[in-house]
Amino acid sequence: AHAVDTLWRIRGPLFAATFRLSSPFPPSPIFYAIVVGTIYLSCNTLINNNMTSCTKSLHKMTNQDTTEAPPPAIATSDVGTDEEPKGKPESALKSFLSGGIGGVCVVLVGHPLDLVKVRMQTLEAGAKSSTFGMLRKTFAKDGVRGLYRGVSAPLTAVSPLFAMSFWGYDMGKRTVRYFDKEGETGGGEYKFTIPQLVVAGGLSALPTTAFMAPSERIKCLLQVQANELEKGGKAKYSGMVDCGKQILAEGGVRSLYRGTMATLLRDVPGSMAWFGTYELIKKELMILQGIDPSTGSLSPLAILSAGGFAGIACWTVAIPPDVLKSRLQTAPPGQYGGMYDVYKHLVKEEGHAALFKGLRPAMLRAFPANAACFFGMELARKALAFMD
């Protein structure tokens, strides 16, 4: 009890010390928010768990039959449960806002490594560069601003994009439930299996492509522009808006949506792995912690872990189509006839290993970025609980 009380008393100075951290490569502000949020929620969970344990002991000593409430933690969203929730559904506006915040987290934490990934994928045949070497060069030349080149396009699209992703996942679950009439349990509940949740995850990628494709096109062009600047060339685009205007002027809306099918072929299997892995790891962590998966809640560390491994699983299957998408979206007009044409040229000139270009930065980015995404979303859901 004394240890818990001490930890609670020093939480203020601990937060202040966290914000004073510095390094040669300063992380984004969202990193500090995640660290502080984790410490804060862990302190709350630890104290509440301690109080609950004391209550249990007191009840056993007095032989009172009192119904004990479970210790509060971060309440997992509908996405994080394998049963349909009872009672009133959560606010659609809350889901939209929390999904958008999760998207902002994933972009702010992961964009520097995403920049490196795209630049490595679009290097000319024979050109070599390491992940940290490219990060070091970019930071030395342009500072933090260079590491976040092209961030405006995905940052502008993340709110509707991630809102639609989680909304699409929910619609996918409803579709799965509609076609499976034998999954009903007592009390009108429906228990999803992991394969069903994987299918629902794949369906979630369908509505997001309308937002993702043009955002990816602009982002990749802005990121690849850095390769030309290193060769002594001039910048063609001054920013996201200028890039979008030039694309529309040169090729119209069709040019803006170039690579839509490649984006879809990347995101469908990627989303299947993303949601499926998150659900599976979360469920196993709950069982490991002795929590009922149908009614329990995860700790902050468990959410970060499940989200991080979900990101790794996603990019493990998504990297080959992502390479083809990046090549197609950044190529001059008329160079390729489509995604299959990109594949033939790439394999002929550089071999099949080229399909995995950018895998290292993608893997380095996947864990922290996706851990931040799910953690940010769950924090937002807890903060916006009054909207239900």
Side-chain angles (χ1 to χ4, degrees):
H2 288 296
V4 172
D5 181 65
T6 302
L7 182 60
W8 181 256
R9 290 177 183 276
I10 66 169
R11 58 180 176 166
L14 192 59
F15 299 163
T18 302
F19 276 104
R20 286 197 292 267
L21 291 174
S22 62
S23 69
F25 296 93
S28 60
I30 200 69
F31 170 82
Y32 295 116
I34 291 169
V35 172
V36 172
T38 302
I39 295 171
Y40 177 79
L41 290 167
S42 296
C43 288
N44 275 328
T45 304
L46 181 60
I47 289 176
N48 286 319
N49 285 345
N50 184 68
M51 292 177 65
T52 303
S53 298
C54 292
T55 303
K56 285 184 178 181
S57 301
L58 182 62
H59 287 172
K60 289 180 180 178
M61 291 173 63
T62 58
N63 294 320
Q64 293 180 350
D65 292 330
T66 305
T67 302
E68 297 165 357
I74 294 183
T76 53
S77 64
D78 292 351
V79 174
T81 60
D82 58 358
E83 289 191 5
E84 283 293 306
K86 297 179 181 179
K88 182 181 176 182
E90 289 189 336
S91 165
L93 179 59
K94 186 183 89 167
S95 297
F96 177 84
L97 293 174
S98 59
I101 290 172
V104 170
C105 291
V106 77
V107 172
L108 291 180
V109 172
H111 189 79
L113 285 167
D114 184 69
L115 168 73
V116 173
K117 172 182 70 68
V118 173
R119 291 182 61 186
M120 290 180 71
Q121 289 174 346
T122 53
L123 285 173
E124 296 178 356
K128 294 183 178 181
S129 181
S130 67
T131 301
F132 292 104
M134 191 170 285
L135 273 175
R136 191 164 48 248
K137 283 183 182 178
T138 304
F139 183 78
K141 184 176 181 181
D142 302 315
V144 175
R145 185 174 182 178
L147 294 175
Y148 282 88
R149 182 181 286 111
V151 72
S152 53
L155 200 56
T156 301
V158 287
S159 289
L161 178 64
F162 275 78
M164 289 197 71
S165 178
F166 284 99
W167 173 84
Y169 180 59
D170 190 44
M171 292 301 103
K173 289 168 68 177
R174 294 187 187 190
T175 302
V176 168
R177 179 175 180 175
Y178 176 80
F179 285 102
D180 181 21
K181 303 297 184 182
E182 300 179 357
E184 296 287 345
T185 60
E189 296 178 351
Y190 183 88
K191 192 171 183 64
F192 289 98
T193 64
I194 295 299
Q196 287 176 326
L197 295 172
V198 169
V199 171
L203 294 174
S204 73
L206 300 178
T208 62
T209 303
F211 289 90
M212 178 68 83
S215 170
E216 286 283 300
R217 171 95 156 110
I218 294 173
K219 181 202 75 172
C220 288
L221 285 173
L222 289 173
Q223 290 177 335
V224 171
Q225 184 173 254
N227 291 338
E228 298 299 322
L229 293 175
E230 285 187 356
K231 298 176 183 176
K234 294 183 179 180
K236 182 179 181 181
Y237 310 109
S238 60
M240 179 188 72
V241 176
D242 181 54
C243 182
K245 286 181 178 179
Q246 290 195 45
I247 292 173
L248 289 172
E250 293 172 1
V253 176
R254 184 173 182 177
S255 177
L256 186 63
Y257 276 85
R258 183 194 297 175
T260 298
M261 186 56 65
T263 303
L264 193 62
L265 291 176
R266 178 197 69 176
D267 289 351
V268 169
S271 295
M272 293 173 74
W274 197 52
F275 283 110
T277 303
Y278 179 70
E279 297 285 3
L280 178 62
I281 293 180
K282 188 193 67 175
K283 184 176 181 178
E284 293 302 320
L285 286 174
M286 282 185 168
I287 295 173
L288 189 64
Q289 295 176 10
I291 302 172
D292 184 355
S294 62
T295 59
S297 300
L298 280 174
S299 65
L301 183 59
I303 290 176
L304 287 168
S305 300
F309 284 113
I312 290 176
C314 171
W315 281 104
T316 298
V317 300
I319 198 70
D322 186 62
V323 172
L324 300 177
K325 179 196 71 67
S326 296
R327 291 290 182 104
L328 181 61
Q329 289 185 323
T330 58
Q335 180 174 344
Y336 298 115
M339 187 175 178
Y340 183 64
D341 192 34
V342 177
Y343 170 78
K344 289 192 300 183
H345 280 80
L346 184 66
V347 172
K348 182 180 179 180
E349 295 173 4
E350 303 178 46
H352 286 89
L355 291 171
F356 292 91
K357 273 191 173 182
L359 179 62
R360 183 176 296 177
M363 290 294 103
L364 290 173
R365 169 188 178 271
F367 194 98
N370 288 278
C373 173
F374 279 102
F375 188 73
M377 184 195 66
E378 298 295 357
L379 276 179
R381 280 184 177 278
K382 182 167 184 167
L384 299 175
F386 65 91
M387 301 179 72
D388 286 330

